[in-house]
Amino acid sequence: MTRAVAMPEGAPLGGPTGPNGGVRTDFLHGLLGYNARRTSLHLVACFVRDLADLQLKPVGFSVLCLVGHNPGITSRQLCQTLDIQAPNLVGLVSALTERGCLQRQPHPTDGRAWGLHLTPAGESLLAQAETRILASEQQACAGLSPAEQATLQQLLQKIYLA
Amino acid sequence: MTRAVAMPEGAPLGGPTGPNGGVRTDFLHGLLGYNARRTSLHLVACFVRDLADLQLKPVGFSVLCLVGHNPGITSRQLCQTLDIQAPNLVGLVSALTERGCLQRQPHPTDGRAWGLHLTPAGESLLAQAETRILASEQQACAGLSPAEQATLQQLLQKIYLA
DNA sequence: TATTGTTATACTCTATAACTATA
DNA sequence: TATAGTTATAGAGTATAACAATA
């Protein structure tokens, strides 16, 4: 890369230098997508940090959670509910199965499908994970009142469930 | 993979079958991280779809936007503001530079740094993109009143700016 | 013919280590 | 010695195409 030689006359130089960097972020902070993405990345990082010893990440937890609360659920139902692609679910289910947390049983009416169930180890892991993630989120959202947290969830669901 | 032969007695089979799949999602829907992530993915998809012809994706737009509103900003300031790693910014800046939208100029006081500026083409692209993303979000958030949208942004910022 | 689950694979995004030039 | 920018690279996440088995 070659450094520019000539300087355009009158071009403002130096960039923002004020407090906290002085970077103007007004437009980005007015975008819902930007705020949602930054919040999501922040909460995902909290999740990964606080559930590291359980070896669970958000999507794997979501699978475990849905199977736990919906015994016999199929891969297709998981994909539809979580909006993920079928090929990407295979590895998640396989990993949880090999960990001894998940079990595939023949579907009673559809020979193509498998009904997914938690093992006792899976039930135990889910219970621990649910307790842990609730505590993690309480810490991350300490600045919000319970009413604000409820409002936030309702507004978010209005968008992605539309 | 071998199909299970014996069926555990008393195990509930068949899984959820009620309306809209009948899948119970109560716990997930009570998690802020889940709702934020689903909303973020939804709005990112809207962004990519509605700004495809501008060849801009969320992070590239954020860079363009910050440079436009902060002439002379450095890569380091962009990384800190957007919370991205320096090596991952290089390609974004290079691509925008090669498109003729960005220009690097020597930093007036720090010989290691470059001040980033928009070209006229960059200004034009930013103006189009800002108009487009506002329309995209209005469509995606049609179910929310302006007051609700403002509330949502404030609550989200309370979390990731904490 | 359509659907479930799967494999293979490619593409994108993100993270880390190491290097250079300068402060 | 520390920092700004860069390169190379590895890992994770996500997407499509194609296939076997069953509806």
Side-chain angles (χ1 to χ4, degrees):
Chain A
M1 161 117 228
T2 54
R3 178 175 280 267
V5 176
M7 301 272 294
E9 340 225 340
L13 289 180
T17 53
N20 73 325
V23 179
R24 305 221 36 131
T25 55
D26 309 55
F27 190 88
L28 289 181
H29 281 176
L31 288 181
L32 222 40
Y34 179 79
N35 290 301
R37 185 167 178 276
R38 290 296 302 268
T39 300
S40 171
L41 291 174
H42 180 73
L43 292 177
V44 166
C46 292
F47 187 113
V48 171
R49 179 195 64 208
D50 294 335
L51 282 82
D53 61 310
L54 298 183
Q55 293 183 317
L56 277 178
K57 279 183 279 190
V59 184
F61 168 77
S62 295
V63 170
L64 192 73
C65 185
L66 285 180
V67 174
H69 295 288
N70 299 273
I73 193 173
T74 65
S75 289
R76 178 165 194 280
Q77 288 176 304
L78 284 174
C79 287
Q80 287 185 326
T81 305
L82 296 175
D83 195 22
I84 60 182
Q85 303 301 314
N88 299 330
L89 181 67
V90 176
L92 295 166
V93 170
S94 298
L96 287 169
T97 301
E98 285 160 19
R99 282 179 68 180
C101 296
L102 232 63
Q103 217 177 6
R104 295 192 247 204
Q105 296 178 3
H107 194 280
T109 62
D110 190 335
R112 299 167 299 181
W114 298 88
L116 299 173
H117 300 260
L118 293 192
T119 63
E123 299 278 6
S124 169
L125 178 62
L126 176 58
Q128 289 181 73
E130 287 186 345
T131 301
R132 198 78 71 80
I133 184 57
L134 289 175
S136 174
E137 292 208 340
Q138 276 313 305
Q139 184 184 2
C141 305
L144 275 65
S145 70
E148 286 177 321
Q149 294 181 29
T151 299
L152 182 48
Q153 293 190 6
Q154 290 166 4
L155 294 177
L156 289 171
Q157 286 171 17
K158 275 195 187 179
I159 296 175
Y160 77 86
L161 291 180
Chain B
M1 164 112 217
T2 55
R3 179 174 280 265
V5 176
M7 300 273 293
E9 340 223 342
L13 289 180
T17 53
N20 73 324
V23 178
R24 306 223 32 135
T25 55
D26 309 55
F27 190 89
L28 288 181
H29 281 176
L31 289 180
L32 222 39
Y34 179 79
N35 291 301
R37 185 166 179 277
R38 290 297 302 270
T39 301
S40 171
L41 291 174
H42 179 73
L43 292 177
V44 166
C46 292
F47 187 114
V48 171
R49 180 196 64 209
D50 294 335
L51 282 82
D53 61 311
L54 299 183
Q55 292 184 318
L56 277 178
K57 279 181 282 190
V59 184
F61 168 77
S62 296
V63 170
L64 192 74
C65 185
L66 285 179
V67 173
H69 294 288
N70 299 274
I73 194 172
T74 66
S75 289
R76 178 166 193 277
Q77 288 176 304
L78 284 174
C79 287
Q80 287 184 327
T81 305
L82 296 175
D83 194 23
I84 60 181
Q85 304 300 315
N88 299 329
L89 180 66
V90 177
L92 296 166
V93 170
S94 299
L96 287 169
T97 302
E98 285 160 19
R99 282 179 67 181
C101 295
L102 231 64
Q103 216 177 7
R104 294 192 250 206
Q105 296 177 2
H107 192 280
T109 63
D110 190 336
R112 299 167 301 181
W114 299 87
L116 299 174
H117 301 260
L118 293 192
T119 63
E123 299 277 5
S124 169
L125 178 62
L126 176 58
Q128 288 181 74
E130 286 186 346
T131 301
R132 198 78 71 82
I133 184 55
L134 289 176
S136 173
E137 292 209 341
Q138 276 314 305
Q139 183 185 3
C141 305
L144 275 64
S145 70
E148 285 177 322
Q149 294 182 28
T151 298
L152 182 48
Q153 294 192 4
Q154 290 166 4
L155 294 176
L156 290 172
Q157 286 171 16
K158 276 194 186 181
I159 296 175
Y160 77 87
L161 292 180

